[in-house]
Amino acid sequence: MKEKTLYNHLMEYKKKIYPFHMPGHKLGRKFKLKNIAKIDVTEVRGTDNLHDPSGIIYEAQVKAAKTFGADKTYFLVNGSTGGIISAITSICKEKDQVLIARNSHKSVYNAILINNLVPIYIYPKVLENGLIGGINPTEIEEKIKNNSHIKMIIITSPTYEGYVSNIAAISKITHKYNKILMVDEAHGSHFRFHNYFPETSLQQGADIVIQSAHKTLPSITQTAMLHIKNDRIDTNRLQNALSIFQTSSPSYVLMNSLDSCRNIIDTRGNKLFNAYVKQLKNCRHRLKAQLKNLQLIDNEIIGSKEIAAMDYSKIVIDCTSADITGAQLDEILRDKYNIQVELSGINHIIAMTSICDSKYGFKKLVKSLIEIDSKLRKKQIKGNKYDIINNARIHYNPKDAFNKNKVEIKLEDAVDKISGDFIIPFPPGIPLIVPGEIITEENINLINEYLELGIEIMGICNKEYRTINIIEEV
């Protein structure tokens, strides 16, 4: 009998499942990942050094900057996380104020914690379907006016579901007040390569943009890039921060993956993206026309103050008008149709696509969703909100909360207590509760609902007894 190793398990997974999830190479379906061991080297004479590049790695980053439209590009070998923490560290000093969108990734909060910064929240619009929209530029200006010591503005665009904020307007406001704008564009690394997708944040004036190549392009998990688009960033300080927050032994396998991804785009990108967009348009057209109970999220609200564009590569299916939850729809797709989507929430699912998806894959997804839809019934819209809480109450800054003594209590007893940990539905990694925030009844109800649906939540100490850590008040 073959030993049950992780490798064997994953190979069985690949044989069985069609992956409408990241990474964008779709388990090597179009570009084979071979000869990995042969290029797994280290920093010796002739291989250059990511932390002080002057040879082949330097040249690869210069080429990437040109391809992705940046003035300067840095390879990241531990995902966007390392770039986000490094960028914030390079710009801010202890006790600086940062204006952040409340739907920021956990890595933004970790950077705030590490550097002992003071977060000021701005809230994205929550749409009627319960999903997170974009950020209103006018509200950013109001926040800056009321908090003149803000050092930088950090927003996420596109959102996990593909909503894109008006980065051009936000950039203009940010620079009017001489602030730095950083955009977590982890899910938008493909934008530049076809006009079916929105303009990149770099094209719209952002100072620092982080992109996860592995999410939507043919690159290995953990590969990302940090782009700079002006001369206002201290690149020496940034390089030092990257050396702190990335491993001292960066993987040449991962760096090669980034360079190979860039090469594919440069040499074959037009053909690949044209074919991909054709399949994507056909998929979206059929789903929009033929779904009766489920609903494809489309461009109905583009043009509002909060949403300037939409990433059509995300196939987001809204379940709020059907007698099924996102989690249940995910389960049916996986168990009956051998399709694994990226995310299943209470009210929706996300199927992620890329240039590596096949005609077969798109047809399989469309046929499966239409067949499932035909067996559903209409129901009254629930109106549940997404995993974002407006008007979060900060009692302690994250760093102060991190250093406090913690005590474990039952979730049901945590109303009005101060959270000692991050509580994060995963994916996508957006904190529902941040250390130092006051826990509300709404928080607890939403956590319980997620747990009942089997959605993974980081920060629950004991899932059986549903306990969490709170700060022990003396």
Side-chain angles (χ1 to χ4, degrees):
M1 179 180 288
K2 188 181 292 186
E3 181 184 357
K4 189 174 183 180
T5 63
L6 178 59
Y7 176 84
N8 291 336
H9 178 82
L10 294 176
M11 292 304 292
E12 287 299 316
Y13 176 85
K14 180 181 178 179
K15 289 179 183 178
K16 180 180 179 182
I17 293 292
Y18 190 93
F20 277 103
H21 57 75
M22 65 179 79
H25 60 71
K26 299 304 180 87
L27 308 184
R29 273 174 163 73
K30 189 165 289 189
F31 305 106
K32 302 301 180 183
L33 307 174
K34 58 184 179 180
N35 298 327
I36 286 178
K38 294 180 181 180
I39 60 170
D40 188 16
V41 298
T42 190
E43 296 86 355
V44 293
R45 187 184 298 275
T47 63
D48 207 1
N49 189 319
L50 179 64
H51 297 304
D52 186 23
S54 59
I56 190 64
I57 295 174
Y58 172 81
E59 293 172 11
Q61 292 185 147
V62 169
K63 291 175 184 176
K66 182 178 179 181
T67 299
F68 288 87
D71 292 342
K72 192 163 187 175
T73 291
Y74 298 85
F75 284 177
L76 305 174
V77 294
N78 63 330
S80 289
T81 292
I84 287 170
I85 295 175
S86 298
I88 295 171
T89 300
S90 72
I91 293 169
C92 298
K93 297 179 181 178
E94 190 172 13
K95 298 296 185 182
D96 276 346
Q97 293 180 340
V98 289
L99 177 61
I100 72 167
R102 183 58 182 81
N103 62 318
S104 294
H105 187 264
K106 180 186 176 182
S107 55
V108 173
Y109 295 92
N110 283 340
I112 289 170
L113 190 158
I114 290 166
N115 292 285
N116 197 16
L117 306 178
V118 179
I120 297 170
Y121 293 155
I122 186 166
Y123 294 90
K125 180 179 178 63
V126 177
L127 308 176
E128 289 184 4
N129 57 22
L131 303 183
I132 297 176
I135 299 293
N136 188 331
T138 303
E139 293 180 12
I140 287 184
E141 185 160 26
E142 290 173 358
K143 288 285 186 179
I144 295 174
K145 285 180 177 179
N146 294 329
N147 302 274
S148 61
H149 295 295
I150 286 172
K151 195 68 173 286
M152 67 185 301
I153 291 85
I154 304 164
I155 67 170
T156 299
S157 179
T159 64
Y160 204 30
E161 284 75 24
Y163 294 118
V164 178
S165 294
N166 189 340
I167 302 300
I170 293 171
S171 297
K172 186 176 181 180
I173 290 167
T174 301
H175 296 151
K176 174 182 175 182
Y177 294 93
N178 197 31
K179 310 297 181 184
I180 299 291
L181 174 63
M182 185 180 89
V183 179
D184 176 356
E185 198 174 70
H187 285 263
S189 59
H190 60 292
F191 281 4
R192 182 173 167 84
F193 308 114
H194 200 283
N195 59 15
Y196 186 58
F197 305 116
E199 284 191 325
T200 70
S201 296
L202 289 171
Q203 291 171 301
Q204 298 184 70
D207 302 297
I208 301 174
V209 175
I210 317 289
Q211 294 178 336
S212 288
H214 72 91
K215 284 183 167 61
T216 58
L217 292 176
S219 194
I220 294 176
T221 296
Q222 225 171 292
T223 55
M225 290 168 287
L226 186 157
H227 304 295
I228 293 176
K229 190 59 178 175
N230 65 35
D231 58 1
R232 303 170 68 224
I233 308 302
D234 185 340
T235 54
N236 289 328
R237 186 173 168 88
L238 176 57
Q239 182 69 68
N240 288 335
L242 286 165
S243 296
I244 292 170
F245 294 108
Q246 297 205 99
T247 174
S248 60
S249 300
S251 167
Y252 281 77
V253 172
L254 299 183
M255 288 186 283
N256 170 71
S257 183
L258 282 167
D259 192 43
S260 296
C261 176
R262 187 274 315 158
N263 179 259
I264 288 168
I265 291 169
D266 284 350
T267 58
R268 303 170 59 188
N270 287 340
K271 181 178 180 181
L272 289 168
F273 272 92
N274 285 336
Y276 165 48
V277 168
K278 182 179 179 180
Q279 291 298 319
L280 190 55
K281 285 181 176 179
N282 180 60
C283 170
R284 296 185 67 88
H285 174 76
R286 289 188 61 196
L287 290 175
K288 191 166 185 178
Q290 296 184 49
L291 292 179
K292 305 301 181 185
N293 300 296
L294 300 170
Q295 180 184 4
L296 173 70
I297 299 295
D298 205 41
N299 59 0
E300 292 86 358
I301 55 174
I302 288 177
S304 66
K305 291 180 180 179
E306 296 85 4
I307 299 174
M310 186 171 179
D311 175 16
Y312 296 121
S313 77
K314 297 286 181 70
I315 306 296
V316 184
I317 303 297
D318 181 6
C319 303
T320 53
S321 296
D323 57 341
I324 194 171
T325 67
Q328 290 168 338
L329 178 56
D330 173 28
E331 186 176 2
I332 294 171
L333 284 169
R334 183 178 60 253
D335 294 347
K336 184 175 180 180
Y337 297 96
N338 294 330
I339 292 174
Q340 179 60 61
V341 296
E342 169 71 16
L343 172 141
S344 60
I346 294 174
N347 293 329
H348 72 297
I349 63 167
I350 302 174
M352 284 182 64
T353 69
S354 82
I355 59 173
C356 293
D357 279 302
S358 63
K359 289 183 181 180
Y360 164 79
F362 277 117
K363 288 180 180 178
K364 183 179 178 71
L365 179 65
V366 170
K367 182 179 179 181
S368 301
L369 286 171
I370 291 173
E371 187 173 307
I372 294 169
D373 182 78
S374 68
K375 299 174 183 177
L376 300 176
R377 293 178 299 174
K378 288 280 188 183
K379 72 170 181 59
Q380 186 175 359
I381 295 174
K382 289 174 63 177
N384 278 350
K385 289 188 177 181
Y386 190 73
D387 54 0
I388 185 80
I389 299 298
N390 284 319
N391 302 315
R393 292 183 289 164
I394 302 174
H395 189 87
Y396 294 115
N397 284 340
K399 181 61 173 288
D400 294 333
F402 182 78
N403 289 327
K404 296 283 185 180
N405 290 329
K406 315 293 192 306
V407 60
E408 185 177 336
I409 68 170
K410 287 189 175 181
L411 184 62
E412 62 195 53
D413 299 326
V415 176
D416 292 331
K417 300 292 194 285
I418 303 168
S419 179
D421 281 334
F422 288 102
I423 305 295
I424 306 176
F426 187 84
I430 299 169
L432 174 62
I433 308 173
V434 175
E437 289 182 354
I438 296 174
I439 301 166
T440 66
E441 186 174 356
E442 185 180 3
N443 291 147
I444 292 171
N445 290 340
L446 192 52
I447 292 169
N448 279 324
E449 190 166 3
Y450 274 126
L451 291 172
E452 291 298 326
L453 289 170
I455 295 171
E456 184 68 25
I457 298 183
M458 299 171 63
I460 303 297
C461 300
N462 186 307
K463 290 183 173 59
E464 181 180 357
Y465 295 103
R466 299 194 180 182
T467 61
I468 61 173
N469 281 328
I470 63 165
I471 291 175
E472 184 177 31
E473 294 294 324
V474 179

